[in-house]
Amino acid sequence: MTSDLDLKNYAVRTDLVIEENANKTSNKGVHVEEKMEDGIKVTSMVINQQAAASMHKKAGAYLTFEAKELRTGDTEIEEKTEKVFAKYFAQFLKKLNISEYASCLVVGLGNWKVTPDSLGPSVVENVLVTKHMFDLQPENVQPGYRPVSAITPGVMGVTGIETSDIILGVIEKTKPDFLIAIDALAARAIDRVNTTIQVADSGIHPGSGIGNNRKELSRQSLGIPVIAIGVPTVVDAVTITSDSLDLLLRHLEREMSENNPSKSLTPSWMSFGEKVDYKGLKLPSKENRAAFLGMVGTLSEAEKAQLIQEALGASGTQLMVTPKEVDFFIEKMGNVIAEGLNAALHNQVNQKNVGAYTH
């Protein structure tokens, strides 16, 4: 099977380190705003050219929606996420000076045959496409809709054709004003899997996360604005091991400070026990880390990752893990993003009738 999941070098990657770095460099070319709306955490970040190099990210505007309950399949939180996503995505388009009448091409990246990589095609299946109506029966198109077309180009391992070449050919023939690319991501933190939606205007590199570097999809390569939407659906073995060690250290430090070693370790993403957001807790001091884990506890992030890679071996470092309910999640999230896009792209579609336009 062939997958083009995008991971660590992806232009829109799910990575807490990015947000932490952004806060540290907020006065050096990075502007970050965070707010809670209807239980959804919305983080807006703008990176200029000066800060882009130090953060190893492209300059541009980034938007993240986070809701821990998304992984539970809670229909109420899905509805709230769709509404918040639609609202802020519409604002995102306005900030990019994209007109409400501008034509759009929606591209569902990924592989139908690989469930965690099928988010893009799942979204496209539910997107409201209207371009054919504008071309064939423009007199019957009511105000409040824009021309929207959609494709699922597949992956190079299936088609034998560079994904960007397929998309560029469609762009040259159909002349859309802007492009929206949807793809699956790999999280660089366990608790981000199946909990966030990432948006960016800085482009996308299909397949870069698993070493299948394809040509980038960006304004520079395609000639029109490119907005990327990604959802983390997998996490690699190195990240799981590293996060587990940090989680254990934070838990031991918490137990020592509270002098209550009987409490069970229940991170926020577990579905039982006392929920603890260990990300909000500091790691122990270097001395305590050494006492807990010996030399391993004192390693830097880079050194720890290198050690884990060596311990796992060549095959272990390529392991990608996804939750067992990923098929259910992909179907649900495909609907959430499609409904949000339908409402954001067409003024005539609103929260009361959006369900009529999706399966």
Side-chain angles (χ1 to χ4, degrees):
M1 293 187 294
T2 303
S3 172
D4 270 357
L5 284 166
D6 298 299
L7 315 179
K8 301 172 185 175
N9 297 320
Y10 190 105
V12 191
R13 69 186 183 186
T14 299
D15 186 353
L16 286 175
V17 175
I18 290 175
E19 294 174 11
E20 291 165 1
N21 287 342
N23 292 331
K24 293 176 183 177
T25 58
S26 58
N27 60 342
K28 297 181 181 179
V30 180
H31 178 70
V32 180
E33 291 183 3
E34 292 184 354
K35 62 177 68 176
M36 293 294 298
E37 183 160 337
D38 215 2
I40 313 298
K41 182 181 178 182
V42 183
T43 303
S44 175
M45 179 167 60
V46 178
I47 305 174
N48 68 12
Q49 293 292 347
Q50 176 187 357
S54 62
M55 296 182 67
H56 305 290
K57 279 181 69 72
K58 295 182 68 175
Y62 296 81
L63 193 61
T64 302
F65 304 88
E66 183 176 1
K68 303 289 186 185
E69 296 81 2
L70 275 175
R71 62 162 55 95
T72 67
D74 187 326
T75 55
E76 183 178 352
I77 198 67
E78 289 169 359
E79 182 179 347
K80 291 179 179 179
T81 302
E82 178 265 311
K83 291 179 180 179
V84 173
F85 173 77
K87 173 184 174 180
Y88 283 91
F89 192 82
Q91 294 175 3
F92 195 80
L93 294 178
K94 290 181 180 179
K95 290 179 180 178
L96 297 178
N97 296 319
I98 294 176
S99 164
E100 62 184 54
Y101 304 107
S103 59
C104 174
L105 171 63
V106 179
V107 178
L109 299 171
N111 189 345
W112 265 119
K113 296 180 180 179
V114 181
T115 303
D117 195 26
S118 61
L119 176 69
S122 179
V123 172
V124 165
E125 185 180 22
N126 292 290
V127 164
L128 174 61
V129 293
T130 56
K131 184 180 183 301
H132 58 301
M133 298 298 296
F134 281 86
D135 293 341
L136 301 176
Q137 300 178 359
E139 68 279 1
N140 293 331
V141 180
Q142 299 179 9
Y145 294 93
R146 76 167 79 223
V148 173
S149 52
I151 62 168
T152 54
V155 293
M156 192 175 184
V158 173
T159 65
I161 305 173
E162 191 75 59
T163 301
S164 61
D165 291 342
I166 296 174
I167 297 171
L168 185 58
V170 173
I171 290 174
E172 291 175 348
K173 285 293 184 180
T174 62
K175 302 291 190 294
D177 295 315
F178 69 103
L179 181 144
I180 297 174
I182 303 111
D183 203 0
L185 307 176
R188 295 193 63 191
I190 300 174
D191 62 344
R192 307 279 277 190
V193 176
N194 289 5
T195 65
T196 61
I197 302 173
Q198 299 260 316
V199 179
D201 69 347
S202 55
I204 184 173
H205 286 79
S208 63
I210 56 173
N212 297 335
N213 290 316
R214 305 275 78 87
K215 294 179 182 178
E216 77 168 9
L217 308 178
S218 66
R219 181 192 284 266
Q220 289 72 28
S221 63
L222 299 179
I224 59 175
V226 175
I227 302 171
I229 301 176
V231 176
T233 60
V234 298
V235 63
D236 65 281
V238 174
T239 296
I240 293 174
T241 309
S242 179
D243 277 9
S244 297
L245 288 174
D246 285 349
L247 177 63
L248 178 61
L249 287 171
R250 288 186 171 96
H251 175 71
L252 293 174
E253 178 72 5
R254 174 173 176 260
E255 298 306 284
M256 284 186 62
S257 63
E258 296 182 2
N259 196 24
N260 187 359
S262 63
K263 288 187 177 180
S264 60
L265 197 162
T266 52
S268 58
W269 62 82
M270 301 297 286
S271 59
F272 57 86
E274 176 193 9
K275 301 298 188 299
V276 178
D277 182 11
Y278 284 95
K279 286 292 182 181
L281 301 178
K282 292 183 179 180
L283 284 169
S285 65
K286 187 173 183 179
E287 292 75 17
N288 282 348
R289 295 202 305 271
F292 293 146
L293 296 180
M295 184 182 295
V296 174
T298 64
L299 297 177
S300 67
E301 285 298 317
E303 292 170 335
K304 183 171 60 175
Q306 181 63 33
L307 176 64
I308 294 170
Q309 287 178 344
E310 293 174 358
L312 290 175
S315 59
T317 56
Q318 299 300 315
L319 288 175
M320 305 303 299
V321 182
T322 190
K324 63 179 182 180
E325 66 277 5
V326 66
D327 52 346
F328 176 74
F329 175 80
I330 289 293
E331 180 181 356
K332 288 278 192 175
M333 192 52 60
N335 264 319
V336 168
I337 295 178
E339 289 182 354
L341 286 176
N342 290 341
L345 294 174
H346 305 283
N347 292 335
Q348 193 76 339
V349 179
N350 54 50
Q351 304 306 328
K352 292 183 179 179
N353 64 14
V354 67
Y357 297 99
T358 57
H359 300 296

